[in-house]
Amino acid sequence: MSDLRAFQGAVVSPSIPPDESFRPFLFTLADDELGSLTTFCRERGLRLIDRMEWQDATVERGASSGNWVYLPWERKVVHLLGPDAYFATITDRNADKITREEQRLLRTRRVAVIGLSVGAEAAATVAREHLCGEIVLGDFDRLELSNLNRIEAGFDELGESKCRIAARRIAKVNPYLSVTVFEEGVTEENLGAFLDGVDLVIEECDRLSIKLLVRRFCRDRHINLVFAADERGFLSVEPYGFFPDLLPFHGRIREPQPPRETFDKSLAFMKELTRWMGGWEAISERSRTSLEQLGTTLSGYPQLASEARF
C-alpha cells in the first residue's frame, strides 16, 4: 500500500495520462496527514470525498483509518474502508444467497471475460457480487454511438477502449479487485497468457475462430466456460472442469468455422453464428427480420440493453 508522498508523486508525474487510466491508486494516511492531503487536493483541483459514516457507523468522518482511493480519470480522491472491512460490508446483503464461506472461496478465484459489449455486463455483475478476486478483460474494440443502446457508458466515452470503460466501472464497485486488461483483444498468440490461472471463462465475442479456439483451450486445461446470447435468453454452460470429455459447443460444431472476412455478406456470417444455438430457424422471427436488413437499412447486429443485462 502506498503512502501520501507516493500519491502526490502519482498526481504530479503520472506514469500514464489520467484520461487514459483505469486503475485506482490506493494509499494510506498517517494520523497527522489529513490536513496535508486536503491542501494538496485543493491546490491540484482534485475532489476530496470523505463519507465514511455511510460505510461503517463505527468509523468517524475525517479519521485517517481505512484507505484512500484516487480515481485519476475522474480526479477524485475517496476515503474507503480497508479491503477486509469493505468486503465484509459490501457482501453483507449477499448472505445467505451466497454464504460467507462461499464468498470467501470465490474471493480466491480468477474469472476471464472475452468480448465487452454483452460481456461488460457480465464483468460488472461478477464484480458487484464479488464472485472473484481477480478478473481479466479482453476486447480490441472501442465504443461507438450505436453501442449506447445496451452498454453502460456515456457519449463522453465514445472512442474509448471497451476494456478501459469496463475496468473503470469495476474500479468504482471494488477498487481492491485485481483487474488485468488485454486491449489488443484475445488472439491465438496471447490466449495462453489471457487464460493463465483462470477458473471460469465468460465468452461473449463474435469471432468464430476464437470462440472455438477458446473452448478447445478450456477443454484441454479443464476450465469451465459460460456463454449467454442476447437471443431468447440462450445460455450455454460448458463445464470442462468437471466434464473434460465434453465436446466444444456441446458437439454442435466440430470443425473450425470460416473467419468473418471470408463471408461476402453480413447475413451469411450471422447465419453461421447461429449454428450452435440451433440454427437460423431457432432464433426469433424479429431477429431474423432485422438481420436480413444488415448492410441496407440496419447498421449492425440488433441487441437490446435488457438482453445484455439478462
Side-chain angles (χ1 to χ4, degrees):
M1 186 68 65
S2 300
D3 58 13
L4 177 60
R5 185 180 295 274
F7 159 68
Q8 291 171 329
V11 173
V12 174
S13 301
S15 56
I16 61 174
D19 290 346
E20 297 177 12
S21 66
F22 59 86
R23 297 189 190 281
F25 186 95
L26 283 76
F27 64 99
T28 59
L29 290 183
D31 291 340
D32 60 349
E33 289 183 329
L34 182 58
S36 298
L37 173 64
T38 302
T39 300
F40 179 81
C41 288
R42 184 174 60 250
E43 292 174 346
R44 289 284 168 173
L46 304 178
R47 183 182 176 192
L48 188 65
I49 302 172
D50 187 356
R51 295 174 182 158
M52 283 293 256
E53 73 274 19
W54 291 95
Q55 302 172 46
D56 187 344
T58 66
V59 179
E60 294 183 6
R61 185 178 185 275
S64 60
S65 58
N67 295 322
W68 295 82
V69 182
Y70 170 47
L71 304 175
W73 61 94
E74 292 195 352
R75 300 190 64 78
K76 291 179 181 176
V77 179
V78 185
H79 198 184
L80 204 63
L81 290 173
D84 292 334
Y86 184 83
F87 179 78
T89 303
I90 205 167
T91 60
D92 183 64
R93 294 194 182 185
N94 289 3
D96 277 323
K97 293 187 174 183
I98 304 173
T99 68
R100 299 288 188 189
E101 182 179 352
E102 289 168 341
Q103 203 83 68
R104 285 192 292 270
L105 179 62
L106 289 167
R107 199 179 181 186
T108 69
R109 298 302 193 230
R110 184 178 174 95
V111 173
V113 184
I114 306 174
L116 293 170
S117 290
V118 172
E121 297 308 316
T125 300
V126 166
R128 199 170 294 280
E129 291 191 2
H130 299 265
L131 302 181
C132 66
E134 298 182 56
I135 193 164
V136 188
L137 308 173
D139 198 321
F140 65 89
D141 207 5
R142 293 180 175 271
L143 186 72
E144 299 177 3
L145 183 58
S146 62
N147 296 148
L148 295 187
N149 78 317
R150 65 191 184 281
I151 293 180
E152 187 67 28
F155 56 79
D156 58 323
E157 296 172 291
L158 295 177
E160 291 271 13
S161 156
K162 289 181 179 178
C163 268
R164 191 180 304 162
I165 292 170
R168 288 173 174 176
R169 285 181 69 185
I170 290 170
K172 293 187 69 172
V173 172
N174 182 4
Y176 299 113
L177 182 64
S178 174
V179 179
T180 302
V181 302
F182 283 67
E183 292 189 90
E184 71 277 19
V186 179
T187 65
E188 185 174 354
E189 291 72 28
N190 68 16
L191 182 60
F194 181 80
L195 295 181
D196 186 38
V198 163
D199 299 287
L200 174 70
V201 173
I202 300 172
E203 187 278 299
E204 295 295 341
C205 72
D206 59 5
R207 292 182 60 191
L208 298 176
S209 59
I210 293 297
K211 293 176 83 73
L212 180 58
L213 185 64
V214 166
R215 284 164 173 78
R216 287 177 170 173
F217 190 98
C218 288
R219 185 173 185 243
D220 290 343
R221 298 203 180 184
H222 301 176
I223 301 172
N224 296 322
L225 181 145
V226 294
F227 166 81
D230 45 0
E231 172 61 36
R232 287 185 165 182
F234 182 91
L235 174 67
S236 178
V237 179
E238 300 171 56
Y240 302 110
F242 301 102
F243 302 96
D245 294 330
L246 182 69
L247 293 175
F249 298 117
H250 294 282
R252 288 178 181 266
I253 297 176
R254 303 197 181 198
E255 77 285 355
Q257 293 172 283
R260 184 169 189 163
E261 54 269 19
T262 64
F263 292 89
D264 59 347
K265 294 182 179 179
S266 297
L267 180 59
F269 168 75
M270 291 300 173
K271 286 185 175 182
E272 183 69 14
L273 195 62
T274 66
R275 275 179 58 195
W276 74 285
M277 292 189 289
W280 180 248
E281 297 302 322
I283 67 174
S284 68
E285 181 180 353
R286 287 198 176 192
S287 288
R288 293 199 303 272
T289 300
S290 294
L291 290 170
E292 288 168 354
Q293 300 175 55
L294 280 177
T296 55
T297 61
L298 191 65
S299 61
Y301 181 75
Q303 297 173 298
L304 298 176
S306 55
E307 293 174 319
R309 277 153 183 71
F310 172 80

